[in-house]
């Protein structure tokens, strides 16, 4: 079992954004660096973060028998496992399921809700608290390493933003 954890932050931090972590390998997408995400509500950002987690880690999980995507946003878990109810959430899902990374992981992917306090590394990545992320990782005996957003991840963000603007 491999666990991907993701989060999004909009308030309560000077550096809101999206973030994810898988066994110390983490990424961050600050909203300030992605103007196409400005103006989105937190449920949409949480779903984008989860989809980015899939895109960012899929290549590393080619031989994984089971992958669990954990999010502290219950709406995200429901949207991915059942059906998104809002048009904006469905637009994000539509872009996600078109991605080859999602198609590769889907047969082995499950999604679960994770209480916020248990999601500390992804939370820190989404809030721009990189020193906290490294300190918590060290305290847990986890070597942390930041991954740049892949070209595929940037393409996903662009495609999702374009789909949302078209609504």
């Amino acid at each position: 079992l491999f666990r991907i954890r993701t989060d999004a932050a909009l308030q309560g931090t000077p550096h809101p954004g999206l973030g994810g972590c898988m066994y110390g390998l983490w990424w961050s997408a600050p909203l300030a660096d992605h103007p196409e995400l400005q103006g989105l509500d937190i449920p949409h950002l949480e779903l984008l973060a989860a989809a980015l987690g899939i895109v960012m880690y899929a290549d590393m999980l080619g031989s994984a028998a089971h992958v669990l995507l954990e999010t502290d946003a219950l709406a995200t878990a429901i949207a991915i496992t059942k059906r998104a109810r809002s048009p904006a959430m469905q637009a994000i899902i539509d872009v996600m399921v078109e991605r080859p990374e999602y198609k590769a992981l889907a047969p082995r992917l499950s999604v679960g809700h994770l209480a916020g306090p248990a999601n500390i590394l992804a939370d820190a990545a989404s809030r721009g608290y990189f020193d906290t992320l490294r300190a918590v990782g060290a305290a847990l005996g986890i070597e942390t390493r930041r991954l740049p957003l892949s070209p595929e991840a940037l393409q996903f963000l662009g495609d999702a933003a374009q789909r949302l603007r078209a609504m």
Side-chain angles (χ1 to χ4, degrees), residues 95-166:
V95 174
M96 180 187 75
V97 300
E98 293 168 2
R99 296 288 318 170
E101 300 87 359
Y102 176 81
K103 290 176 183 176
L105 278 185
R108 303 170 283 130
L109 181 68
S110 59
V111 181
H113 179 251
L114 176 71
N119 200 16
I120 190 168
L121 296 177
D123 180 78
S126 74
R127 294 176 179 277
Y129 297 156
F130 306 143
D131 290 340
T132 299
L133 188 152
R134 287 187 282 273
V136 170
L140 295 172
I142 299 170
E143 182 180 333
T144 60
R145 182 168 53 98
R146 184 175 186 173
L147 302 174
L149 289 181
S150 66
E152 295 82 5
L154 293 171
Q155 181 69 50
F156 166 77
L157 282 178
D159 291 348
Q162 182 178 1
R163 187 82 53 101
L164 289 167
R165 278 192 306 275

Side-chain angles (χ1 to χ4, degrees), residues 15-94:
H15 307 289
L18 315 177
C21 190
M22 183 181 76
Y23 302 109
L25 299 174
W26 62 277
W27 56 268
S28 178
L31 295 183
D33 295 348
H34 298 279
E36 71 274 20
L37 304 181
Q38 301 288 333
L40 293 178
D41 294 326
I42 194 66
H44 309 124
L45 295 173
E46 293 276 6
L47 182 54
L48 286 167
L52 270 181
I54 292 168
V55 173
M56 285 292 295
Y57 299 117
D59 283 349
M60 298 176 208
L61 298 169
S63 63
H66 184 211
V67 177
L68 176 59
L69 173 64
E70 294 179 305
T71 173
D72 64 2
L74 188 55
T76 293
I78 292 169
I80 294 174
T81 59
K82 296 185 180 177
R83 183 85 178 149
R85 298 194 191 278
S86 82
M89 296 287 271
Q90 190 56 52
I92 296 167
I93 292 288
D94 289 346

